[in-house]
Amino acid sequence: MLPYVYRVTKYDPADRDERGVYTGAEESVSDHGPVEAAYLAAVAAFAEDSGVRQLSIREPQVATGFVHFGLEPPVDGGGLAGLFPPDLTGFHDGAPVSVPVGLELVRAMLRDNGAWCSLEVEDTFSVHVGWDQYVYVGSNVPCDGAVARARALGLFPEPVDASPYEGDFDEPGEQRPADDDFWARVRWCVETREAALLEEMHVLNDSRWHRLDEGGIDEVRARLAPRARLAVWPDLSTDVAAVLAALPDDGLVELVREDRDGRITGAVADESGFTELAARARDARAAALLSCYVDERSPLFTAVLPDADGVLRARWRTDPAPGDRDWALLRTLRRGGTVTGTVTGIADSGVTSVDIGGFTATIGAPGPAACAADHCCGAVAVGRRITAEVLDVDLVRHRVALSCPRTRAARPHEDHRDA
């Protein structure tokens, strides 16, 4: 956290009541004129005092058509037209921009045009544009000259302990990197027809969809934006009519459709826009409905792209899918280690299923000599708690092989920790 943080506003502190609520006459939108220009000049002064010539975009967001981003209607391109291409190439986490481009991003945020990001230089400088024309500037130096400049411009720079838009990046859970193990898992799932689509989220609130096939995964991988969040999904349904029939009575949903040219796009709407969604899907060759609610939206597994050096610097996280939880558990297992779990099933072939912390591992069918020597057959029974050695961990196929337990089974009253 930077030691010097200032709240820069057009609101005179003298016009606040005892609760700190502004009661003056200033509008909480940009004037698109001299006051807005004063904000930009003040931010430029703080950047100059901090010795900053280049900024990094962090946690970029866009407001798509279903979101009212602020007090002004969103505009096409989120106010980014002329700064980035229409597909927002270059507007991603960690992207470097000059101070003049950074100031244009501040302008777009002041106008609530539909795009947002944090602008930072690590351990040196930050700019956060909040709601209602509140701007927070942080620096590693006091910036007395910039403070005086902001006052001369008619603004009110007030020292504060921290920006309320400083991200909390200590969320629980492990961030899965899109490393070689991840891509090997993707390839396996495509080969087995479990997965067919990759969702790329390089900005919050927007996605690009890619079809996956065995020969094109490397090509898709090469096109992804740096630090993007990724989600792997099964294929769309070719029964488009059945998909549309499943539209709920209300709520927020995303329709993902593949058109006749193979282009895959998503559109989000609530019940007021379901008729439009249905119209969009009529000529689709495949489609799917996805919930927009976190606890109802479950891809096969997710990841975040590391930088070119393999280091994961993107701070945003994905909501863990069941496959991510399995991956996190499998990464803790090692050949030769031991795990304790509960026997959940024994197939006719003798293969035994064991629940180890929510993941199903297997014990291969033991031969008669092994049973006679180790007395394992009596220990392996449905409902029994057993301790077994890890023979193999396959992160690609998500398989764990266990040995036939060579020790007595845990009695029901004995306390063992699950893996």
Side-chain angles (χ1 to χ4, degrees):
M1 186 174 295
L2 295 171
Y4 303 97
V5 181
Y6 303 89
R7 182 175 66 183
V8 181
T9 71
K10 59 183 178 180
Y11 308 118
D12 190 335
D15 293 327
R16 298 184 187 276
D17 62 20
E18 63 277 2
R19 296 172 298 167
V21 177
Y22 178 70
T23 59
E26 288 286 349
E27 295 286 343
S28 57
V29 295
S30 174
D31 69 343
H32 295 217
V35 176
E36 179 182 273
Y39 271 110
L40 300 183
V43 171
F46 278 100
E48 183 176 2
D49 273 14
S50 303
V52 169
R53 297 293 179 268
Q54 183 171 276
L55 302 161
S56 292
I57 294 171
R58 301 307 309 265
E59 294 80 53
Q61 304 177 27
V62 293
T64 50
F66 70 94
V67 176
H68 185 20
F69 195 76
L71 296 176
E72 298 185 29
V75 300
D76 291 341
L80 304 180
L83 299 178
F84 303 96
D87 65 354
L88 298 184
T89 299
F91 186 61
H92 60 78
D93 188 79
V97 294
S98 65
V99 170
V101 171
L103 294 176
E104 288 306 309
L105 288 170
V106 170
R107 186 194 305 275
M109 290 185 276
L110 286 170
R111 295 184 180 186
D112 289 324
N113 279 160
W116 189 89
C117 66
S118 172
L119 295 166
E120 299 182 8
V121 177
E122 188 173 5
D123 300 325
T124 301
F125 188 71
S126 67
V127 181
H128 300 143
V129 180
W131 302 110
D132 300 341
Q133 306 290 287
Y134 283 82
V135 176
Y136 294 84
V137 182
S139 179
N140 64 341
V141 295
C143 296
D144 293 336
V147 170
R149 172 68 174 147
R151 287 175 179 155
L153 290 165
L155 301 177
F156 299 92
E158 304 170 77
V160 294
D161 292 334
S163 165
Y165 298 94
E166 186 74 39
D168 180 7
F169 304 110
D170 295 325
E171 302 172 29
E174 188 169 2
Q175 198 178 24
R176 182 175 185 172
D179 54 13
D180 289 341
D181 285 340
F182 168 85
W183 289 107
R185 174 68 177 164
V186 170
R187 195 174 302 278
W188 166 258
C189 289
V190 170
E191 290 171 356
T192 58
R193 303 295 187 267
E194 183 181 356
L197 300 174
L198 182 73
E199 182 183 13
E200 174 196 7
M201 297 157 280
H202 69 296
V203 294
L204 193 63
N205 292 332
D206 195 22
S207 295
R208 293 192 289 230
W209 291 85
H210 307 274
R211 178 160 291 285
L212 300 172
D213 57 58
E214 294 180 36
I217 293 176
D218 290 338
E219 181 183 347
V220 169
R221 184 178 178 181
R223 295 201 309 263
L224 299 175
R227 301 189 183 181
R229 294 169 298 151
L230 308 177
V232 180
W233 293 89
D235 207 350
L236 305 175
S237 171
T238 56
D239 191 346
V240 177
V243 170
L244 296 177
L247 276 167
D249 293 332
D250 54 30
L252 203 61
V253 298
E254 180 178 9
L255 174 73
V256 181
R257 59 183 289 273
E258 183 173 10
D259 65 22
R260 299 297 175 183
D261 297 324
R263 192 169 68 100
I264 303 172
T265 56
V268 177
D270 61 14
E271 59 276 10
S272 66
F274 286 175
T275 300
E276 182 182 349
L277 277 189
R280 290 190 184 196
R282 286 198 185 101
D283 64 343
R285 68 184 186 189
L289 283 178
L290 304 178
S291 173
C292 291
Y293 304 106
V294 170
D295 56 350
E296 299 174 3
R297 186 182 179 96
S298 186
L300 299 173
F301 51 98
T302 70
V304 178
L305 276 175
D307 287 352
D309 59 3
V311 177
L312 195 58
R313 295 187 178 88
R315 295 184 296 216
W316 47 27
R317 296 179 180 272
T318 57
D319 298 303
D324 300 327
R325 290 186 282 269
D326 290 344
W327 166 82
L329 172 62
L330 265 57
R331 287 184 71 250
T332 68
L333 305 180
R334 297 290 182 271
R335 291 182 183 180
T338 58
V339 293
T340 299
T342 301
V343 177
T344 57
I346 302 175
D348 292 340
S349 63
V351 174
T352 300
S353 299
V354 183
D355 184 308
I356 54 170
F359 181 85
T360 300
T362 58
I363 300 173
C371 283
D374 298 324
H375 308 287
C376 67
C377 293
V380 179
V382 174
R384 286 287 189 96
R385 298 270 288 168
I386 63 170
T387 297
E389 180 183 345
V390 177
L391 298 180
D392 186 52
V393 180
D394 189 334
L395 287 172
V396 174
R397 294 168 176 83
H398 276 203
R399 295 174 183 170
V400 175
L402 305 178
S403 69
C404 191
R406 299 175 183 274
T407 58
R408 67 181 179 88
R411 298 181 184 276
H413 67 272
E414 292 179 318
D415 182 21
H416 288 281
R417 181 180 300 175
D418 282 334

